[in-house]
């Protein structure tokens, strides 16, 4: 049994011996101590929270804390996004179907029922100005 004792706000990582590939090297913040486990939330804001036993936790190393943590704007179902991967046309827009550590997206305006599961860091949130869109639509129809 580990004697790791953490309090709310402490930054921790999951021991590489216990961590899955998706959790390896990620920094978590302790939310609270449950009866047996700790409730954790990811510092980068991507994905859901995790519950882990004290034996599986280690204090976050200084080199991980020294790196700037990139936080992402939250995505909700229906958000419009652009994929920043090299093989995707940057003018193609997608809509978010579901959100988590991986995001399901579908091509905006597509009716074929296909969707893709992608990692959150390759998505860029897009806001569409409806008034400018209406003005450009009016210009095209005149």
């Amino acid at each position: 049994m580990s004697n790791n004792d953490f309090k709310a706000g402490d930054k921790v990582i999951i021991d590489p011996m216990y961590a899955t590939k998706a959790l390896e090297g990620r920094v978590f913040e302790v939310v609270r101590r449950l009866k047996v486990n700790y409730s954790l939330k990811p510092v980068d804001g991507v994905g859901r929270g995790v519950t882990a036993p004290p034996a599986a936790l280690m204090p976050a190393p200084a080199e991980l804390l020294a790196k700037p943590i990139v936080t992402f704007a939250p995505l909700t179902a229906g958000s419009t996004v652009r994929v920043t991967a090299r093989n995707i046309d940057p003018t193609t827009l997608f809509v978010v179907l579901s959100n988590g550590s991986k995001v399901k997206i579908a091509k905006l305006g597509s009716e074929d029922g296909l969707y893709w599961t992608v990692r959150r860091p390759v998505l860029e949130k897009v806001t569409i100005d409806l008034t400018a869109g209406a003005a450009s639509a009016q210009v095209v129809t005149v």
Side-chain angles (χ1 to χ4, degrees):
M1 189 74 170
S2 173
N3 59 0
N4 289 342
D5 190 31
F6 302 104
K7 59 185 182 299
D10 287 350
K11 305 287 193 276
V12 297
I13 62 168
I14 297 179
D15 188 340
M17 188 169 111
Y18 298 102
T20 61
K21 186 177 178 182
L23 300 178
E24 199 169 302
R26 292 187 64 195
V27 179
F28 294 89
E29 182 178 338
V30 175
V31 176
R32 66 186 175 120
R33 167 90 187 199
L34 304 171
K35 285 185 180 180
V36 176
N37 297 326
Y38 285 98
S39 176
L40 311 171
K41 71 175 182 179
V43 173
D44 60 6
V46 176
R48 60 183 181 84
V50 177
T51 304
L57 299 178
M58 299 170 52
E63 61 269 7
L64 278 180
L65 293 175
K67 289 184 195 175
I69 296 173
V70 179
T71 58
F72 298 102
L75 294 176
T76 57
S79 295
T80 308
V81 295
R82 177 180 296 134
V83 179
T84 58
R86 287 182 293 186
N87 58 345
I88 305 291
D89 180 18
T91 61
T92 305
L93 297 178
F94 296 87
V95 64
V96 174
L97 301 177
S98 68
N99 191 11
S101 58
K102 295 206 175 177
V103 181
K104 291 183 180 178
I105 59 172
K107 193 171 181 180
L108 187 64
S110 176
E111 295 180 6
D112 56 9
L114 296 177
Y115 67 90
W116 295 270
T117 304
V118 295
R119 296 178 305 110
R120 175 62 181 92
V122 300
L123 295 178
E124 176 182 82
K125 190 169 184 175
V126 176
T127 54
I128 299 173
D129 185 7
L130 296 177
T131 56
S136 65
Q138 290 173 356
V139 170
V140 171
T141 58
V142 172

